[in-house]
Amino acid sequence: MQRMLSGIKPTGQLTLGNYIGALRNFVQYQDEYEMIVFIANLHCITVYQEPKELRKNLKDAVALYLACGLDPQKATIFLQNDVYEHAELGYIMACNTYMGELNRMTQFKDKVAKNEGNITAGLYTYPCLMAADILLYDPDYVPVGDDQKQHVELARDLALRFNHKYGDTFKLPEPLAAKVGARIMSLSDPYHKMSKSEHSDKGCIYLLDDPNVAKKKIMSAVTDSFGEIKADKEKQPGLYNLMEIAAALTNRQVSDIVEEFKGQGYGILKTYVADVVAKELTKIQERYNAIINSDMINETLKEGAMKASAIAHRKLLKVRKKIGLEIR
Ligand code: TYM
């Protein structure tokens, strides 16, 4: 069975973008692949997090993984820092990464361009830790949204370089983006991706948003003044984004939705999308409410860390030997 690995960094509440671009696909893949998924908590602290809030976001993220349908019987689910090998291999990867490579990472460049100040060394070297997250497990595929593809490609380059220098050690991973919904855009600014770090909440739907609030966000989403329902991502990005959200959640094609709503007003289409989203959130939140205060969270993480550690430890020993760190 081929292996897949991915993670989410809950620096805030998980979003509909995380769900459509990543989480939902993990659930679909867990039947066909050996699935390893983790909560990237070490990545969270590259930017300051209020500890109490971070703890809540991490716990919510595990509950949401389970509520969205990840099954601990099928998938290995763990917290990144429960497996110490990530940090050590992350450091080793940083020693094999050139600054020029990190300077080219668009996510980092965007942050610097926004001039947010206090950029940490951790944020700069974060792709090295992400490479370690991946390479420890030799996955065949890494399912991610569009914005993370560049980081997976770097992991592949680093694996290739390492194998070349020290002999065959790592499998070369492939990024795998969803066909529909790999880049869900902000509802208030369809030229930017939907993200937890947006300045206003209006453009972003959170998985734990009250479904009525989510509906309102969809109804007030920015569209255009063409007044015609067409699949034109360039000229009508807001409208396209809404159709893509609905298409992903109903397993349809955007072209199907265009056919259904052609000739009708935007309001009717928005109502449809709002209902689809609200229904999905309601389903997820019902399960989340049953899980959040149960033992399931701790049990899942304990079991997951044990399984992941066994794989990661073997790989790290091999790496230490290859590079000459091990003397026993
Ligand atoms: P993060 O937490 O920013 O995002 C988690 C996943 O959600 C996807 N995503 C989106 N997809 C579609 N539309 C959007 N608007 C949207 N926003 C986010 C992301 O592409 C991602 O797949 N560094 C990673 C976490 C990570 C990781 C890893 C992933 C750490 N180590 C190893 C894979 C393998 C991150 O910050 O993702």
Side-chain angles (χ1 to χ4, degrees):
M1 205 182 217
Q2 289 190 304
R3 183 178 282 172
M4 262 193 189
L5 168 131
S6 201
I8 294 183
K9 170 188 67 169
T11 38
Q13 286 287 324
L14 298 197
T15 68
L16 190 65
N18 293 140
Y19 180 64
I20 294 178
L23 186 46
R24 191 171 168 274
N25 309 318
F26 305 165
V27 177
Q28 289 178 353
Y29 293 135
Q30 69 184 340
D31 290 318
E32 293 160 57
Y33 293 88
E34 181 193 347
M35 194 74 206
I36 302 180
V37 280
F38 64 98
I39 308 280
N41 59 351
L42 289 174
H43 288 275
C44 291
I45 58 167
T46 51
V47 173
Y48 173 76
Q49 305 291 311
E50 204 283 305
K52 208 166 129 203
E53 213 170 288
L54 178 60
R55 226 170 279 131
K56 177 175 183 326
N57 287 336
L58 294 176
K59 194 171 169 197
D60 275 350
V62 188
L64 282 169
Y65 270 23
L66 299 169
C68 291
L70 275 174
D71 176 353
Q73 304 294 329
K74 295 181 189 161
T76 299
I77 304 168
F78 67 100
L79 209 53
Q80 184 186 24
N81 78 324
D82 277 346
V83 180
Y84 303 134
E85 286 77 3
H86 286 244
E88 185 172 331
L89 189 63
Y91 174 73
I92 294 172
M93 282 298 133
C95 295
N96 283 279
T97 309
Y98 303 122
M99 287 176 68
E101 287 171 314
L102 296 178
N103 292 338
R104 279 198 292 278
M105 295 293 111
T106 48
Q107 276 213 335
F108 182 74
K109 284 201 292 196
D110 286 353
K111 287 246 156 83
V112 174
K114 276 194 205 152
N115 206 2
E116 285 173 0
N118 293 336
I119 302 239
T120 66
L123 188 69
Y124 184 60
T125 57
Y126 138 98
C128 307
L129 179 59
M130 179 157 163
D133 298 337
I134 297 170
L135 301 179
L136 275 174
Y137 299 93
D138 284 332
D140 297 280
Y141 297 105
V142 182
V144 283
D146 254 5
D147 61 332
Q148 290 295 331
K149 262 173 75 180
Q150 193 187 30
H151 293 154
V152 182
E153 278 152 12
L154 177 69
R156 190 183 165 87
D157 291 347
L158 296 181
L160 203 60
R161 178 176 308 150
F162 193 100
N163 289 351
H164 193 65
K165 265 199 214 165
Y166 299 106
D168 200 27
T169 311
F170 299 118
K171 193 170 222 170
L172 305 188
E174 293 258 7
L176 188 73
K179 286 197 188 72
V180 180
R183 192 174 188 85
I184 297 299
M185 309 309 277
S186 161
L187 300 174
S188 53
D189 174 4
Y191 292 98
H192 286 101
K193 72 163 186 175
M194 180 183 283
S195 101
K196 323 170 240 233
S197 51
E198 270 180 56
H199 296 301
S200 119
D201 267 1
K202 273 175 66 184
C204 181
I205 291 182
Y206 298 95
L207 293 183
L208 293 177
D209 268 352
D210 179 322
N212 286 320
V213 170
K215 273 188 175 179
K216 285 201 185 113
K217 289 183 185 175
I218 301 270
M219 295 309 290
S220 55
V222 168
T223 48
D224 55 75
S225 52
F226 291 107
E228 192 184 343
I229 295 187
K230 275 199 307 195
D232 190 336
K233 205 172 181 170
E234 298 286 304
K235 289 206 188 105
Q236 297 172 284
L239 190 70
Y240 190 91
N241 189 44
L242 290 176
M243 294 194 288
E244 193 164 12
I245 290 173
L249 295 179
T250 53
N251 295 318
R252 298 172 75 185
Q253 298 297 322
V254 170
S255 55
D256 264 9
I257 298 187
V258 173
E259 269 314 299
E260 184 180 337
F261 290 93
K262 211 162 51 183
Q264 305 195 51
Y266 288 0
I268 296 177
L269 174 72
K270 281 183 168 179
T271 307
Y272 168 71
V273 180
D275 284 343
V276 166
V277 170
K279 210 167 117 201
E280 193 80 8
L281 294 189
T282 305
K283 192 175 76 188
I284 294 170
Q285 290 173 15
E286 275 168 14
R287 295 205 216 118
Y288 164 89
N289 288 331
I291 292 166
I292 189 67
N293 291 317
S294 75
D295 294 337
M296 213 177 150
I297 295 182
N298 283 344
E299 281 164 15
T300 300
L301 292 181
K302 199 168 138 202
E303 176 85 4
M306 234 163 59
K307 284 201 259 172
S309 294
I311 305 173
H313 192 64
R314 266 198 313 274
K315 180 60 82 182
L316 187 65
L317 284 183
K318 187 168 174 185
V319 170
R320 285 179 181 166
K321 282 204 181 111
K322 292 255 180 186
I323 59 183
L325 287 176
E326 196 63 66
I327 56 170
R328 274 156 299 184

